[in-house]
Amino acid sequence: MNLLIVDDEPLEREVLMDVVKKNRIGITHCLEAVNGASALEIVTSESIDIVVMDIKMPVMDGITAAKVMKERRPHLKVLFLTAYNEFDYALQTIKLGAVDYLLKPVRPDEFIQALKKVIGPTSDQTSEEIHQHQSNNIIETITTFIHDHVEEKLTLVQLSEFVHLHSQYVSRLFKQEMGMTLTDYITVSRIEKAKELLANSTKTIADISEQCGFTDPNYFTRVFKKLEGCPPKQYRENEQQLKREKVNRQYFNKIM
């Protein structure tokens, strides 16, 4: 689990981070931010599971930041930590789906108990495994969608919306897990589909190009040649030749 602590008071952040480090509760990484705006940047670019955030901060307050965070990352857990014991604040945090609302100064044991409720019974190892499992599910969902819609226009924004995550996070996660960019994976998937159609159908190259999501047959040919080392027409001829040779071998083996 990755934790982000957001507070405009440096000492407050330091104390909370020290409390987390001294207690083995399944937190793998602990990051910090000085206000809601900087917290949003971190949540967008990093894999954050839990946000502990003050409400009243300069530049962007915690309530505003939490609204945007929950829109981008619906499953993000937000715990508010504030010195303002006011009903309006508490009501807003409830509407945002906050997991807890703690008043400053919070005792270390109270803070740890609140985090434990969010994390649940786990260890560092199982936390890593859970995180990897979540990443695998996201990647599997995206790749399955690509394969099922390879003939359509596919974009990073569209696929990110499909899994309810921010595009920058999806882009970074995909590259990390798959070893290639999302755009490259889409292109490779289109070409793999094209190879299948070239080898097993009599469709024209223009039709195959369109069926695999390419709007320009000439561009399709250039991309195909770059990845496969030969143009689509030659690839089809090579596949047909291999099939003929296979049939001849089978016939020869049968009569021997």
Side-chain angles (χ1 to χ4, degrees), residues 6-9 34-36 53-64 80-84 86 89 93 101 104:
V6 190
D7 199 302
D8 59 321
E9 293 291 338
V34 298
N35 55 52
M53 185 156 51
D54 192 10
I55 288 181
K56 199 164 185 178
M57 296 179 291
V59 184
M60 181 183 289
D61 64 84
I63 297 290
T64 302
F80 283 106
L81 192 65
T82 182
Y84 295 87
E86 295 182 14
Y89 279 138
T93 63
Y101 177 86
K104 294 180 180 179

Side-chain angles (χ1 to χ4, degrees), residues 8-250:
D8 59 321
E9 293 291 338
L11 181 59
E12 191 72 32
R13 296 197 307 273
E14 183 180 344
V15 169
L16 294 178
M17 292 183 74
D18 188 58
V19 170
V20 171
K21 289 175 182 177
K22 288 179 178 178
N23 291 267
R24 292 177 59 84
I25 56 173
I27 298 296
T28 309
H29 300 292
C30 188
L31 291 79
E32 59 181 308
V34 298
N35 55 52
S38 60
L40 270 177
E41 292 180 3
I42 293 174
V43 168
T44 297
S45 60
E46 301 291 337
S47 177
I48 302 297
D49 302 291
I50 306 168
V51 176
V52 175
M53 185 156 51
D54 192 10
I55 288 181
K56 199 164 185 178
M57 296 179 291
V59 184
M60 181 183 289
D61 64 84
I63 297 290
T64 302
K67 286 179 181 177
V68 180
M69 288 177 185
K70 295 293 282 185
E71 288 173 359
R72 296 179 180 179
R73 302 278 303 279
H75 302 298
L76 188 70
K77 303 289 192 304
V78 180
L79 188 157
F80 283 106
L81 192 65
T82 182
Y84 295 87
N85 186 15
E86 295 182 14
F87 179 74
D88 286 345
Y89 279 138
L91 184 60
Q92 288 184 71
T93 63
I94 291 170
K95 288 180 178 179
L96 285 170
V99 294
D100 215 332
Y101 177 86
L102 302 177
L103 292 177
K104 294 180 180 179
V106 62
R107 300 191 314 273
D109 61 326
E110 184 184 7
F111 179 53
I112 291 301
Q113 285 303 314
L115 287 177
K116 283 182 176 180
K117 281 199 303 182
V118 178
I119 298 168
T122 184
S123 65
D124 290 340
Q125 183 179 6
T126 55
S127 174
E128 288 291 342
E129 291 172 351
I130 291 170
H131 217 81
Q132 186 61 49
H133 180 67
Q134 291 172 338
S135 297
N136 290 343
N137 284 343
I138 293 169
I139 298 300
E140 183 179 354
T141 300
I142 292 173
T143 54
T144 299
F145 185 90
I146 291 171
H147 294 154
D148 291 343
H149 300 81
V150 73
E151 75 283 358
E152 300 175 12
K153 181 180 180 181
L154 299 171
T155 66
L156 172 61
V157 172
Q158 174 196 12
L159 292 167
S160 300
E161 289 176 351
F162 181 67
V163 292
H164 308 292
L165 294 170
H166 193 271
S167 58
Q168 190 173 344
Y169 172 73
V170 169
S171 177
R172 189 175 65 84
L173 177 66
F174 198 93
K175 179 70 179 294
Q176 175 184 307
E177 297 295 326
M178 299 296 288
M180 67 173 71
T181 66
L182 183 58
T183 300
D184 286 344
Y185 185 86
I186 292 171
T187 300
V188 169
S189 299
R190 295 191 197 282
I191 296 302
E192 287 300 315
K193 179 65 175 179
K195 287 164 61 179
E196 179 185 336
L197 292 172
L198 286 166
N200 301 303
S201 78
T202 58
K203 294 181 179 181
T204 66
I205 291 175
D207 286 342
I208 290 174
S209 168
E210 183 178 358
Q211 191 170 338
C212 294
F214 291 92
T215 56
D216 181 358
N218 292 326
Y219 176 68
F220 163 66
T221 297
R222 290 197 300 272
V223 173
F224 192 99
K225 185 176 181 180
K226 180 180 179 181
L227 292 180
E228 298 301 321
C230 65
K233 182 179 179 181
Q234 184 180 337
Y235 179 86
R236 169 173 272 171
E237 291 172 353
N238 292 343
E239 287 296 306
Q240 290 173 345
Q241 179 62 29
L242 289 173
K243 286 182 179 180
R244 285 194 295 269
E245 291 175 356
K246 182 179 180 181
V247 170
N248 290 338
R249 283 197 302 271
Q250 290 175 339

